[in-house]
Amino acid sequence: MALIQGIPGEFEPQPWGEAILRSRELLLLRIARRPPDHEVRLPGLATTPRHVVEDHTGKALTWRRDGDDLVVRLPAAGEPPVVRVALTGKLRIVPPDTVTANADGVWDLTPTGPKAHLVARRAADVGIRFVGMVEPDSRHTIRLAGRRYGVTGHELTRTTIGPFPVPERQVVPLAVPAGVRRVLVAPVGTVLASLHPGRDELTVVVTNFGRTPARGDVELPLPPGWSASEQAWTFDGLDPGRSTGWVTRLAGPAGPRELRARLDAGRRSASSPYVVQL
């Protein structure tokens, strides 16, 4: 069985050719370029294949699942065949931009388009925090996992939105409003520290995804040779849905390093790492 329950959709062009849906439960792999190892990989096929054969001869081909990828072994000689993949049900895919929550159940997304795709490790009610620039008086409808909320642009970027009941191991799409450059998603009850870099400075932000006010301490560990104008902060009375932050100036050797704030705000504390470039 597939590890993740996908969504209806189509496959993008592949390095070896294309995957075409011929009918509800039949997929054709048109091989334009034979891979050197004679194995064709189709990423993100969430529907289990019934059998895989050459289209013209009906000869069975060796295949296997690798996570949610289908890997088919092509004949070593001859023209690359058209491969017929019979499915056990309607085609469902795992889009290439799908992101699985981390061990804390948190997603920290930098959107590359108008939609993101999330997968939860376990079912949970989550909240969403959008970061970006939108018109304060604009109107937005945020939909996730069958639930929706209407918010203004002012609310969109200044408070968490939710809760949304995200199911376990199932792809759920999230529309990303224009102007949003970062999306934080966390289980309800989480107090989350996140890092937001600027030019020679870093903003350390704590967001309360819980239902009661939060308090705690934040520290920013740094790699050897790095320094900061401030590295420790305390907060108290952070209301549900709200964020607070501190700006610190960084100095150190040029190059990227992954940083993570150390947050102590109770048992639901979480911290999202971020790669910072000096």
Side-chain angles (χ1 to χ4, degrees):
M1 295 180 62
L3 297 179
I4 296 173
Q5 182 178 343
I7 59 175
E10 298 180 351
F11 290 101
E12 298 179 353
Q14 303 295 318
W16 43 261
E18 59 182 349
I20 302 171
L21 186 63
R22 173 61 64 84
S23 65
R24 184 176 181 272
E25 298 180 3
L26 179 61
L27 194 62
L28 294 183
L29 310 185
R30 298 188 182 276
I31 316 300
R33 293 166 293 279
R34 180 190 293 272
D37 61 359
H38 306 293
E39 287 195 340
V40 167
R41 178 179 292 269
L42 181 62
L45 176 61
T47 308
T48 302
R50 179 179 291 112
H51 59 257
V52 180
V53 301
E54 290 187 14
D55 185 42
H56 297 302
T57 67
K59 180 180 178 181
L61 297 174
T62 300
W63 62 277
R64 69 181 189 276
R65 300 303 301 269
D66 184 6
D68 288 295
D69 294 356
L70 170 66
V71 182
V72 179
R73 181 76 179 179
L74 301 178
E79 290 295 319
V82 174
V83 176
R84 180 189 294 262
V85 181
L87 304 173
T88 57
K90 184 178 179 180
L91 174 66
R92 301 183 74 87
I93 69 170
V94 179
D97 64 350
T98 300
V99 178
T100 300
N102 67 17
D104 293 318
V106 171
W107 292 264
D108 186 343
L109 309 173
T110 303
T112 58
K115 186 174 288 187
H117 295 90
L118 315 181
V119 171
R121 296 175 183 268
R122 50 192 173 273
D125 286 342
V126 303
I128 304 174
R129 176 75 161 86
F130 292 100
V131 180
M133 297 289 291
V134 299
E135 290 294 331
D137 296 331
S138 58
R139 301 292 304 181
H140 305 268
T141 300
I142 307 304
R143 297 180 176 88
L144 183 68
R147 188 172 293 178
R148 65 181 182 179
Y149 296 91
V151 297
T152 65
H154 180 84
E155 294 168 325
L156 182 76
T157 57
R158 285 169 173 78
T159 187
T160 61
I161 302 167
F164 298 90
V166 177
E168 179 182 9
R169 307 299 294 172
Q170 181 175 329
V171 177
V172 288
L174 171 65
V176 179
V180 169
R181 64 177 184 274
R182 189 101 168 259
V183 182
L184 302 171
V185 184
V188 172
T190 301
V191 181
L192 176 67
S194 57
L195 305 179
H196 303 258
R199 179 175 295 180
D200 297 329
E201 65 182 27
L202 185 72
T203 303
V204 180
V205 175
V206 173
T207 302
N208 184 5
F209 286 86
R211 294 190 172 98
T212 59
R215 59 183 298 178
D217 301 300
V218 190
E219 182 183 354
L220 181 64
L222 294 174
W226 285 45
S227 63
S229 56
E230 291 185 81
Q231 284 186 251
W233 305 269
T234 298
F235 63 96
D236 194 1
L238 181 60
D239 289 333
R242 307 299 289 184
S243 298
T244 188
W246 308 268
V247 176
T248 184
R249 298 192 66 82
L250 298 176
R257 294 297 295 268
E258 183 179 274
L259 303 183
R260 181 194 293 264
R262 185 178 296 132
L263 173 65
D264 182 5
R267 66 183 185 88
R268 297 297 298 272
S269 301
S271 183
S272 182
Y274 202 86
V275 175
V276 176
Q277 174 84 41
L278 286 187

